[in-house]
Amino acid sequence: MISSILDIGRTEGAQFEQTVNLDLVEYIKKKTNDYRMLSAQKNIIITFFSNVNHLNTSIQVTLFNQILQNFVQNAIKFTPNGKTIKIKLKKIDDKVILNVIDEGIGIDENIDVFAPFKKVGKENGVGLGLYLAKIASDALNAKISIKNREDGKNGAIAKL
């Protein structure tokens, strides 16, 4: 819990971080490979898709990473062994949309999962991850949401 509370301070401090120019597609590819080590423990396959080959942008990397990491870690935590997680990056006109789609238990959409100390299910954690992701998305002037899949499959879609 202490570590999570310290993360709040780091996330708030990261709001003042300088932006960095990077290729967001390459960055997410690299992070996806890193997450595969975590997902391998549950035999979960993580894939990354993008509708563009490159997306050069200027972004506060610490804030973006806070969101991506939380989305993926939650997807791994709540997805049963042997299932899949998809990370999708889509550029449409001047909008960039990141989705992390899992095959987990889904969420109770009546609960504000972005509130501090809000826990869902019986999994470990203190309930600060999505709160931190919300702080980070606000600092990036981005919208964040989580909803259940509507394609007839179990799971959730975390969207930035």
Side-chain angles (χ1 to χ4, degrees):
M1 183 180 281
I2 291 171
S3 175
S4 294
I5 291 171
L6 290 172
D7 282 343
I8 292 172
R10 281 191 282 275
T11 299
E12 289 177 349
Q15 296 177 29
F16 304 105
E17 173 187 36
Q18 293 294 319
T19 59
V20 175
N21 293 321
L22 58 78
D23 180 341
L24 201 56
V25 173
E26 288 301 317
Y27 181 80
I28 296 173
K29 277 183 192 175
K30 180 183 175 291
K31 297 305 285 183
T32 300
N33 285 331
D34 294 344
Y35 297 134
R36 284 188 179 121
M37 287 185 268
L38 287 173
S39 67
Q41 297 170 1
K42 291 179 71 176
N43 198 28
I44 294 172
I45 297 169
I46 297 183
T47 58
F48 171 64
F49 303 97
S50 176
N51 71 338
V52 293
N53 292 325
H54 298 282
L55 181 57
N56 294 316
T57 190
S58 182
I59 194 165
Q60 293 166 293
V61 177
T62 302
L63 294 173
F64 177 76
N65 194 57
Q66 178 75 41
I67 299 163
L68 178 62
Q69 181 174 316
N70 181 267
F71 282 0
V72 173
Q73 286 178 344
N74 279 346
I76 293 170
K77 183 189 299 187
F78 293 105
T79 297
N81 294 356
K83 298 290 185 175
T84 62
I85 296 169
K86 297 175 186 170
I87 301 171
K88 292 185 175 184
L89 183 70
K90 189 185 311 182
K91 183 173 186 321
I92 303 170
D93 299 323
D94 63 344
K95 281 189 179 181
V96 177
I97 301 168
L98 175 72
N99 286 315
V100 176
I101 305 163
D102 67 46
E103 295 182 6
I105 62 172
I107 64 162
D108 181 344
E109 293 181 359
N110 296 316
I111 296 174
D112 179 7
V113 293
F114 298 108
F117 305 107
K118 191 61 69 178
K119 290 181 62 171
V120 177
K122 297 175 183 158
E123 298 294 328
N124 290 332
V126 294
L128 288 174
L130 287 172
Y131 173 69
L132 293 170
K134 176 72 170 117
I135 292 171
S137 70
D138 289 347
L140 290 173
N141 201 24
K143 293 179 185 173
I144 189 174
S145 66
I146 299 180
K147 63 180 185 171
N148 288 314
R149 293 175 65 160
E150 296 175 351
D151 60 2
K153 294 184 179 181
N154 288 336
I157 301 172
K159 182 177 186 177
L160 173 68

mmCIF file of all heavy atoms in Angstrom, residues 50-73:
data_model
loop_
_atom_site.group_PDB
_atom_site.id
_atom_site.type_symbol
_atom_site.label_atom_id
_atom_site.label_comp_id
_atom_site.label_asym_id
_atom_site.label_seq_id
_atom_site.Cartn_x
_atom_site.Cartn_y
_atom_site.Cartn_z
ATOM 1 N N SER A 50 -1.632 -2.452 -34.814
ATOM 2 C CA SER A 50 -1.749 -1.028 -35.075
ATOM 3 C C SER A 50 -2.172 -0.833 -36.517
ATOM 4 O O SER A 50 -1.738 -1.588 -37.392
ATOM 5 C CB SER A 50 -0.418 -0.318 -34.818
ATOM 6 O OG SER A 50 -0.508 1.046 -35.165
ATOM 7 N N ASN A 51 -3.007 0.171 -36.763
ATOM 8 C CA ASN A 51 -3.414 0.441 -38.137
ATOM 9 C C ASN A 51 -2.418 1.358 -38.855
ATOM 10 O O ASN A 51 -2.630 1.713 -40.007
ATOM 11 C CB ASN A 51 -4.842 1.002 -38.205
ATOM 12 C CG ASN A 51 -4.949 2.420 -37.680
ATOM 13 O OD1 ASN A 51 -4.114 2.885 -36.903
ATOM 14 N ND2 ASN A 51 -5.991 3.119 -38.096
ATOM 15 N N VAL A 52 -1.357 1.760 -38.156
ATOM 16 C CA VAL A 52 -0.271 2.536 -38.767
ATOM 17 C C VAL A 52 1.054 1.874 -38.405
ATOM 18 O O VAL A 52 1.184 1.246 -37.349
ATOM 19 C CB VAL A 52 -0.280 4.016 -38.315
ATOM 20 C CG1 VAL A 52 -1.500 4.734 -38.844
ATOM 21 C CG2 VAL A 52 -0.208 4.138 -36.799
ATOM 22 N N ASN A 53 2.046 2.012 -39.285
ATOM 23 C CA ASN A 53 3.364 1.416 -39.021
ATOM 24 C C ASN A 53 4.205 2.261 -38.086
ATOM 25 O O ASN A 53 5.046 1.736 -37.362
ATOM 26 C CB ASN A 53 4.120 1.189 -40.322
ATOM 27 C CG ASN A 53 3.475 0.107 -41.161
ATOM 28 O OD1 ASN A 53 2.937 -0.858 -40.627
ATOM 29 N ND2 ASN A 53 3.509 0.277 -42.473
ATOM 30 N N HIS A 54 4.003 3.566 -38.138
ATOM 31 C CA HIS A 54 4.753 4.493 -37.283
ATOM 32 C C HIS A 54 3.808 5.595 -36.841
ATOM 33 O O HIS A 54 2.909 5.988 -37.579
ATOM 34 C CB HIS A 54 5.933 5.108 -38.035
ATOM 35 C CG HIS A 54 6.934 4.085 -38.481
ATOM 36 N ND1 HIS A 54 7.850 3.527 -37.625
ATOM 37 C CD2 HIS A 54 7.132 3.507 -39.686
ATOM 38 C CE1 HIS A 54 8.578 2.643 -38.295
ATOM 39 N NE2 HIS A 54 8.155 2.609 -39.546
ATOM 40 N N LEU A 55 4.031 6.095 -35.635
ATOM 41 C CA LEU A 55 3.246 7.208 -35.122
ATOM 42 C C LEU A 55 4.168 8.071 -34.267
ATOM 43 O O LEU A 55 4.336 7.825 -33.071
ATOM 44 C CB LEU A 55 2.049 6.706 -34.318
ATOM 45 C CG LEU A 55 1.126 7.776 -33.747
ATOM 46 C CD1 LEU A 55 0.591 8.689 -34.850
ATOM 47 C CD2 LEU A 55 -0.023 7.140 -33.002
ATOM 48 N N ASN A 56 4.794 9.026 -34.904
ATOM 49 C CA ASN A 56 5.689 9.921 -34.186
ATOM 50 C C ASN A 56 4.863 10.934 -33.416
ATOM 51 O O ASN A 56 3.957 11.563 -33.963
ATOM 52 C CB ASN A 56 6.644 10.619 -35.154
ATOM 53 C CG ASN A 56 7.586 9.626 -35.798
ATOM 54 O OD1 ASN A 56 8.123 8.749 -35.131
ATOM 55 N ND2 ASN A 56 7.780 9.749 -37.093
ATOM 56 N N THR A 57 5.160 11.051 -32.133
ATOM 57 C CA THR A 57 4.410 11.946 -31.265
ATOM 58 C C THR A 57 5.328 12.505 -30.191
ATOM 59 O O THR A 57 6.427 12.017 -29.975
ATOM 60 C CB THR A 57 3.209 11.213 -30.627
ATOM 61 O OG1 THR A 57 2.380 12.175 -29.975
ATOM 62 C CG2 THR A 57 3.646 10.161 -29.634
ATOM 63 N N SER A 58 4.839 13.513 -29.519
ATOM 64 C CA SER A 58 5.528 14.097 -28.381
ATOM 65 C C SER A 58 4.651 13.826 -27.166
ATOM 66 O O SER A 58 3.483 14.245 -27.140
ATOM 67 C CB SER A 58 5.711 15.601 -28.607
ATOM 68 O OG SER A 58 6.406 16.173 -27.542
ATOM 69 N N ILE A 59 5.190 13.107 -26.191
ATOM 70 C CA ILE A 59 4.356 12.648 -25.074
ATOM 71 C C ILE A 59 5.171 12.582 -23.780
ATOM 72 O O ILE A 59 6.393 12.433 -23.811
ATOM 73 C CB ILE A 59 3.741 11.260 -25.399
ATOM 74 C CG1 ILE A 59 2.618 10.909 -24.440
ATOM 75 C CG2 ILE A 59 4.816 10.186 -25.450
ATOM 76 C CD1 ILE A 59 1.747 9.762 -24.903
ATOM 77 N N GLN A 60 4.477 12.702 -22.666
ATOM 78 C CA GLN A 60 5.101 12.501 -21.362
ATOM 79 C C GLN A 60 5.089 10.992 -21.106
ATOM 80 O O GLN A 60 4.066 10.417 -20.748
ATOM 81 C CB GLN A 60 4.338 13.274 -20.289
ATOM 82 C CG GLN A 60 4.460 14.785 -20.458
ATOM 83 C CD GLN A 60 3.445 15.526 -19.632
ATOM 84 O OE1 GLN A 60 2.255 15.423 -19.914
ATOM 85 N NE2 GLN A 60 3.899 16.264 -18.623
ATOM 86 N N VAL A 61 6.225 10.379 -21.300
ATOM 87 C CA VAL A 61 6.325 8.923 -21.310
ATOM 88 C C VAL A 61 5.934 8.299 -19.971
ATOM 89 O O VAL A 61 5.271 7.264 -19.944
ATOM 90 C CB VAL A 61 7.739 8.473 -21.735
ATOM 91 C CG1 VAL A 61 7.871 6.966 -21.684
ATOM 92 C CG2 VAL A 61 8.061 8.987 -23.119
ATOM 93 N N THR A 62 6.317 8.903 -18.878
ATOM 94 C CA THR A 62 5.996 8.331 -17.567
ATOM 95 C C THR A 62 4.486 8.232 -17.377
ATOM 96 O O THR A 62 3.973 7.221 -16.892
ATOM 97 C CB THR A 62 6.619 9.170 -16.434
ATOM 98 O OG1 THR A 62 8.034 9.232 -16.639
ATOM 99 C CG2 THR A 62 6.337 8.568 -15.070
ATOM 100 N N LEU A 63 3.769 9.261 -17.776
ATOM 101 C CA LEU A 63 2.310 9.251 -17.639
ATOM 102 C C LEU A 63 1.672 8.213 -18.559
ATOM 103 O O LEU A 63 0.802 7.456 -18.137
ATOM 104 C CB LEU A 63 1.746 10.643 -17.935
ATOM 105 C CG LEU A 63 2.141 11.738 -16.947
ATOM 106 C CD1 LEU A 63 1.675 13.093 -17.448
ATOM 107 C CD2 LEU A 63 1.594 11.452 -15.563
ATOM 108 N N PHE A 64 2.121 8.189 -19.815
ATOM 109 C CA PHE A 64 1.576 7.207 -20.755
ATOM 110 C C PHE A 64 1.851 5.787 -20.264
ATOM 111 O O PHE A 64 0.977 4.924 -20.305
ATOM 112 C CB PHE A 64 2.158 7.419 -22.156
ATOM 113 C CG PHE A 64 1.673 6.394 -23.137
ATOM 114 C CD1 PHE A 64 0.387 6.472 -23.659
ATOM 115 C CD2 PHE A 64 2.475 5.330 -23.514
ATOM 116 C CE1 PHE A 64 -0.078 5.517 -24.546
ATOM 117 C CE2 PHE A 64 2.017 4.371 -24.398
ATOM 118 C CZ PHE A 64 0.742 4.461 -24.920
ATOM 119 N N ASN A 65 3.067 5.558 -19.784
ATOM 120 C CA ASN A 65 3.436 4.226 -19.315
ATOM 121 C C ASN A 65 2.612 3.817 -18.096
ATOM 122 O O ASN A 65 2.272 2.643 -17.946
ATOM 123 C CB ASN A 65 4.934 4.165 -19.004
ATOM 124 C CG ASN A 65 5.401 2.748 -18.852
ATOM 125 O OD1 ASN A 65 5.244 1.931 -19.752
ATOM 126 N ND2 ASN A 65 5.965 2.436 -17.700
ATOM 127 N N GLN A 66 2.280 4.777 -17.231
ATOM 128 C CA GLN A 66 1.448 4.481 -16.054
ATOM 129 C C GLN A 66 0.111 3.883 -16.497
ATOM 130 O O GLN A 66 -0.378 2.919 -15.927
ATOM 131 C CB GLN A 66 1.206 5.761 -15.250
ATOM 132 C CG GLN A 66 0.321 5.583 -14.039
ATOM 133 C CD GLN A 66 1.017 4.895 -12.897
ATOM 134 O OE1 GLN A 66 2.167 5.173 -12.618
ATOM 135 N NE2 GLN A 66 0.340 3.975 -12.241
ATOM 136 N N ILE A 67 -0.459 4.453 -17.553
ATOM 137 C CA ILE A 67 -1.758 3.988 -18.056
ATOM 138 C C ILE A 67 -1.619 2.624 -18.724
ATOM 139 O O ILE A 67 -2.348 1.685 -18.406
ATOM 140 C CB ILE A 67 -2.342 5.015 -19.042
ATOM 141 C CG1 ILE A 67 -2.567 6.351 -18.331
ATOM 142 C CG2 ILE A 67 -3.638 4.494 -19.660
ATOM 143 C CD1 ILE A 67 -2.757 7.522 -19.265
ATOM 144 N N LEU A 68 -0.689 2.517 -19.666
ATOM 145 C CA LEU A 68 -0.492 1.264 -20.399
ATOM 146 C C LEU A 68 -0.179 0.116 -19.444
ATOM 147 O O LEU A 68 -0.768 -0.963 -19.525
ATOM 148 C CB LEU A 68 0.626 1.420 -21.433
ATOM 149 C CG LEU A 68 0.977 0.179 -22.249
ATOM 150 C CD1 LEU A 68 -0.209 -0.280 -23.084
ATOM 151 C CD2 LEU A 68 2.193 0.462 -23.138
ATOM 152 N N GLN A 69 0.725 0.362 -18.516
ATOM 153 C CA GLN A 69 1.119 -0.681 -17.562
ATOM 154 C C GLN A 69 -0.068 -1.121 -16.723
ATOM 155 O O GLN A 69 -0.282 -2.315 -16.518
ATOM 156 C CB GLN A 69 2.242 -0.158 -16.674
ATOM 157 C CG GLN A 69 2.743 -1.158 -15.659
ATOM 158 C CD GLN A 69 3.958 -0.621 -14.924
ATOM 159 O OE1 GLN A 69 4.853 -0.063 -15.532
ATOM 160 N NE2 GLN A 69 3.976 -0.779 -13.618
ATOM 161 N N ASN A 70 -0.868 -0.173 -16.249
ATOM 162 C CA ASN A 70 -2.012 -0.550 -15.432
ATOM 163 C C ASN A 70 -3.032 -1.343 -16.234
ATOM 164 O O ASN A 70 -3.546 -2.355 -15.761
ATOM 165 C CB ASN A 70 -2.672 0.684 -14.829
ATOM 166 C CG ASN A 70 -3.839 0.289 -13.964
ATOM 167 O OD1 ASN A 70 -4.975 0.255 -14.440
ATOM 168 N ND2 ASN A 70 -3.567 -0.066 -12.725
ATOM 169 N N PHE A 71 -3.312 -0.888 -17.449
ATOM 170 C CA PHE A 71 -4.260 -1.619 -18.297
ATOM 171 C C PHE A 71 -3.815 -3.060 -18.505
ATOM 172 O O PHE A 71 -4.595 -3.995 -18.368
ATOM 173 C CB PHE A 71 -4.399 -0.936 -19.655
ATOM 174 C CG PHE A 71 -5.274 0.297 -19.687
ATOM 175 C CD1 PHE A 71 -5.919 0.791 -18.561
ATOM 176 C CD2 PHE A 71 -5.454 0.971 -20.882
ATOM 177 C CE1 PHE A 71 -6.732 1.921 -18.623
ATOM 178 C CE2 PHE A 71 -6.265 2.103 -20.961
ATOM 179 C CZ PHE A 71 -6.901 2.577 -19.825
ATOM 180 N N VAL A 72 -2.547 -3.239 -18.851
ATOM 181 C CA VAL A 72 -2.045 -4.586 -19.159
ATOM 182 C C VAL A 72 -1.959 -5.442 -17.897
ATOM 183 O O VAL A 72 -2.343 -6.608 -17.911
ATOM 184 C CB VAL A 72 -0.698 -4.521 -19.902
ATOM 185 C CG1 VAL A 72 -0.109 -5.910 -20.076
ATOM 186 C CG2 VAL A 72 -0.871 -3.834 -21.258
ATOM 187 N N GLN A 73 -1.473 -4.875 -16.809
ATOM 188 C CA GLN A 73 -1.375 -5.657 -15.569
ATOM 189 C C GLN A 73 -2.748 -6.101 -15.081
ATOM 190 O O GLN A 73 -2.910 -7.228 -14.625
ATOM 191 C CB GLN A 73 -0.638 -4.861 -14.484
ATOM 192 C CG GLN A 73 0.844 -4.786 -14.732
ATOM 193 C CD GLN A 73 1.571 -3.963 -13.679
ATOM 194 O OE1 GLN A 73 0.969 -3.202 -12.920
ATOM 195 N NE2 GLN A 73 2.887 -4.098 -13.647
#
